[in-house]
Amino acid sequence: MFNVLRAEPKTTFEYGPFRIRRMRPGKILPENSDDAFGPLSVIDHANLELGTLVKMHEHNNDEIFSYMWRGSMVHADSAGHRISLSPKKLMMMNAGESFWHEESTPLVPAEMLQIFIRPRKANLESRVQFMERPDGVKQNEWTLLAAPEGIESPLEIRQAVYVYDIRMDENTTTEIPAHPGFAQWLYVMDGEISIADVSLSKGDAISDEESALPAASAKKETTLVCFLVCLGAEAILEGAISGK
């Protein structure tokens, strides 16, 4: 049975030029006592207008994936980095015991997902990782962006979660990534798709409790982000954002 989470404008809030729509992925599951989808806790679909500054602030015990879809954002942190992020350069902050960062858009606006995952243990070592992909999102081919520890991938998550993306041409079809024992949570970053008789547009998500999702067909050029999540994975609730 498909479970669909529709984009809800009422979950959007603004801080001046910084606007986010906060999603609780677990709300896709009926009668779920937790707003998280296993350890996948919070997803912020953020729009940062030109001149946005999110001042230096601390995170604890959050695995934070910055998925840049459009524009660029300057990242600065307590490890001494000052780096421009874009669809060609993604970032994973493994906040652990303590990690400070600041984000700004001095050159162009940005649109992105800020993804908060509950780590497997509290107070792990803090670090930051970057992924280079000079050509940006691949057309009609899934890319593995992040995976659990011990799995070869560009970015490492200290949790049983995989993240993929794809850019689909209009009127193309793709199978959805799947792994045994992992539930799919598929997000429409932009565009429009159909899965069986279900239509999904920008900001919508779909999952299936009982079996793998069928193939997706793009009604126009579309970007998809797919999360594979072990719903029963051990996770801590001490995260500044993910634990709430």
Side-chain angles (χ1 to χ4, degrees):
M1 179 182 69
F2 297 146
N3 296 307
V4 176
L5 186 64
R6 297 291 182 185
E8 294 184 18
K10 67 180 180 181
T11 62
T12 299
F13 52 95
E14 299 185 11
Y15 296 100
F18 177 46
R19 185 175 75 255
I20 69 172
R21 182 171 59 84
R22 174 154 289 182
M23 291 171 276
R24 306 288 185 173
K27 288 185 176 294
I28 203 168
L29 299 175
E31 301 180 1
N32 186 16
S33 60
D34 189 348
D35 286 346
F37 189 76
L40 179 62
S41 182
V42 172
I43 300 176
D44 287 341
H45 192 140
N47 286 269
L48 293 80
E49 298 302 325
L50 180 65
T52 298
L53 171 63
V54 182
K55 294 182 179 180
M56 190 72 69
H57 60 283
E58 185 181 22
H59 282 279
N60 308 94
N61 296 310
D62 290 322
E63 301 284 288
I64 309 169
F65 180 31
S66 296
Y67 178 82
M68 303 296 300
W69 179 67
R70 182 171 60 188
S72 69
M73 179 176 76
V74 176
H75 164 84
D77 61 41
S78 51
H81 298 100
R82 186 172 179 83
I83 293 176
S84 180
L85 305 177
S86 72
K88 298 181 179 182
K89 194 177 186 80
L90 308 181
M91 177 180 67
M92 175 73 68
M93 290 184 288
N94 309 101
E97 188 172 9
S98 176
F99 196 80
W100 291 74
H101 74 113
E102 176 180 287
E103 313 296 344
S104 60
T105 53
L107 300 177
V108 294
E111 185 173 355
M112 62 177 294
L113 299 180
Q114 193 87 323
I115 300 150
F116 298 88
I117 298 166
R118 296 170 177 169
R120 56 177 173 78
K121 290 183 179 180
N123 299 324
L124 295 169
E125 179 185 1
S126 299
R127 62 182 184 179
V128 63
Q129 309 167 61
F130 300 96
M131 174 189 174
E132 302 270 3
R133 52 173 180 179
D135 297 325
V137 185
K138 287 187 178 179
Q139 292 289 134
N140 305 311
E141 181 181 344
W142 286 100
T143 299
L144 175 62
L145 307 175
E149 298 161 293
I151 303 296
E152 186 175 349
S153 66
L155 300 169
E156 185 176 80
I157 307 174
R158 295 181 297 202
Q159 188 50 271
V161 175
Y162 293 80
V163 187
Y164 296 80
D165 75 348
I166 190 173
R167 184 73 174 169
M168 299 176 67
D169 290 331
E170 184 179 2
N171 297 324
T172 59
T173 300
T174 185
E175 300 292 331
I176 311 303
H179 289 304
F182 285 73
Q184 298 159 311
W185 200 93
L186 183 69
Y187 185 68
V188 183
M189 186 71 199
D190 187 66
E192 186 178 359
I193 61 169
S194 61
I195 292 182
D197 59 349
V198 179
S199 294
L200 300 109
S201 301
K202 179 170 181 160
D204 293 337
I206 189 170
S207 185
D208 191 322
E209 288 185 87
E210 299 177 355
S211 58
L213 291 169
S217 299
K219 298 181 179 181
K220 56 184 178 181
E221 191 172 27
T222 296
T223 300
L224 301 176
V225 182
C226 180
F227 301 87
L228 303 183
V229 182
C230 180
L231 296 179
E234 182 179 355
I236 57 98
L237 299 177
E238 284 83 350
I241 301 296
S242 68
K244 295 181 179 179

